[in-house]
Amino acid sequence: MRATVMYGAGDVRLETLPDPQLSTGDDAIVRVVAACVCGSDLWPFRGVTSVTAPRQVGHEFVGVVEQIGRGVGVVKPGDFVIAPFYVCDGTCVHCRNGVSTSCVNGSWWGSPDRKGVSADGGQGEFVRVPLADGTLFPIGVTPDPAMIPGLATLSDVLCTGHHAAVSAGVRPGSVVAVVGDGAVGLCAVLAARRLGAAKDDCDVQASGPAGDGAGVRGHGHHCRPGRCRVAAVHRLTGGIGTDCVLERVGTQQSMQQALGSARPGGQIGFVGLPNGGPELPINQLFDSNVGVRGGIAPVRDYMADLLPDVLTGAITPGRVFDLQLPLTEIVEAYSAMDQRRAIKALLVL
Ligand SMILES: [Zn+2]
């Protein structure tokens, strides 16, 4: 099969590798229909994180089950499935508590599973999926090709934006600010509106260096980085601040922006942490009663809730993809995102 291998900074290649084989009994082979390039895939590509040995990459994909191991009983050949960005069993105590990212048997794409057998990356033609019954989410229908981009966002970005909204306690009438205007930030806007956030054009906004970006209805407000945005949030809210802030960038500056935007007693939902991340000012949190909650998004736990609205078109998260390419153009997909010519790339197989 052809699959994407990361060699190091600026060096990602499409290579021919052996087709994956069933090995653990509870795994499945999925034929990939579409895969995404994630912002975190750019870290090794940019040299932000080091690559000690070439490894298969890609952790957002959808596809069709081709084969199942003898212990697999939920998913079956022919099922159209969505893969979360991690492997989980769906049965351990943390999975049952809705924190499947902390699964005691969990692992990552392109890395060894709990039995030491490496799982494939998602940016390839086929993937061996460990713990297939817990990991894969079968959508129950054969989707129209036009639905594929929206379904692919359930693999990570839509569910991660939703996690920010849930963590921030968004409810009907909430006034919400969104910090970050990449794919997750745009999905956070959709998720907040879906949960009933106030719909006035100035009440929900993605703010970032490129304004509110493509795919989500414009909100009419743009301003410069830093304090300007905090000042704008206060101007728009009569000096109060917002009930909820969805923070998906994870830098010192973005967290300060979030803290400055929340009203006293407000709640920040954070879902981004690129490299180390900021420390929190406990005194400021104490004085303001602002809460900070969130973390790596347990996306597998949100898929069943969000899928119906994607299938009906009630939300259209597939619009976050502003670049669609065949897998053979994987290098261009990375380059376009690295050079900010694209917000998010979808690879269609
Ligand atoms: Zn588990």
Side-chain angles (χ1 to χ4, degrees):
M1 68 166 178
R2 293 174 302 169
T4 304
V5 179
M6 178 66 67
Y7 278 78
D11 188 1
V12 65
R13 308 177 196 173
L14 188 65
E15 299 199 326
T16 300
L17 303 176
D19 287 345
Q21 307 292 324
L22 294 172
S23 66
T24 61
D26 49 28
D27 50 4
I29 307 295
V30 169
R31 175 176 57 81
V32 176
V33 171
C36 320
V37 180
C38 177
S40 61
D41 290 328
L42 295 180
W43 302 346
F45 189 74
R46 287 173 171 162
V48 175
T49 55
S50 60
V51 179
T52 51
R55 62 185 291 257
Q56 286 187 63
V57 285
H59 56 258
E60 304 173 18
F61 62 97
V62 298
V64 176
V65 176
E66 293 264 307
Q67 301 174 51
I68 56 173
R70 62 189 177 281
V72 174
V74 178
V75 300
K76 56 188 185 304
D79 282 352
F80 188 95
V81 291
I82 298 166
F85 61 81
Y86 52 89
V87 169
C88 59
D89 61 12
T91 55
C92 78
V93 61
H94 302 315
C95 284
R96 283 184 277 118
N97 282 328
V99 198
S100 53
T101 38
S102 294
C103 178
V104 299
N105 290 308
S107 57
W108 308 97
W109 304 114
S111 299
D113 65 17
R114 75 199 187 292
K115 294 186 177 176
V117 186
S118 190
D120 299 287
Q123 293 161 1
E125 291 178 311
F126 296 93
V127 175
R128 187 187 70 84
V129 177
L131 297 170
D133 279 343
T135 302
L136 296 172
F137 177 64
I139 68 168
V141 295
T142 299
D144 183 277
M147 299 301 303
I148 301 296
L151 294 170
T153 67
L154 284 163
S155 200
D156 186 347
V157 288
L158 176 60
C159 296
T160 296
H162 179 69
H163 185 54
V166 169
S167 298
V170 175
R171 59 187 179 187
S174 294
V175 177
V176 180
V178 177
V179 179
D181 68 347
V184 173
L186 296 172
C187 286
V189 174
L190 294 179
R193 288 219 165 124
R194 179 180 171 276
L195 292 174
K199 283 194 170 58
D200 179 25
D201 266 2
C202 288
D203 284 343
V204 181
Q205 60 181 352
S207 55
D212 54 11
V216 175
R217 192 162 59 96
H219 310 297
H221 180 78
H222 300 264
C223 54
R224 290 180 297 278
R227 296 185 60 82
C228 167
R229 292 191 206 131
V230 174
V233 167
H234 281 265
R235 191 170 65 248
L236 292 167
T237 57
I240 299 169
T242 62
D243 301 316
C244 310
V245 184
L246 315 187
E247 204 293 292
R248 78 77 58 262
V249 181
T251 63
Q252 188 73 40
Q253 188 189 39
S254 68
M255 188 55 86
Q256 281 172 350
Q257 186 180 337
L259 290 164
S261 300
R263 66 163 168 79
Q267 182 78 27
I268 296 169
F270 79 105
V271 293
L273 195 63
N275 227 6
E279 303 212 344
L280 290 173
I282 293 296
N283 280 329
Q284 184 180 352
L285 297 177
F286 182 88
D287 290 344
S288 64
N289 276 284
V290 167
V292 179
R293 189 160 197 269
I296 185 169
V299 298
R300 179 64 181 81
D301 299 277
Y302 294 132
M303 290 179 184
D305 184 23
L306 294 168
L307 174 70
D309 284 356
V310 174
L311 288 177
T312 62
I315 53 175
T316 53
R319 295 168 69 192
V320 300
F321 297 106
D322 53 353
L323 180 64
Q324 284 196 29
L325 293 170
L327 180 63
T328 50
E329 296 291 316
I330 184 69
V331 175
E332 168 58 13
Y334 274 74
S335 297
M337 284 180 61
D338 177 44
Q339 296 162 11
R340 301 186 190 282
R341 289 182 281 116
I343 291 177
K344 191 164 180 72
L346 183 71
L347 303 159
V348 182
L349 284 85

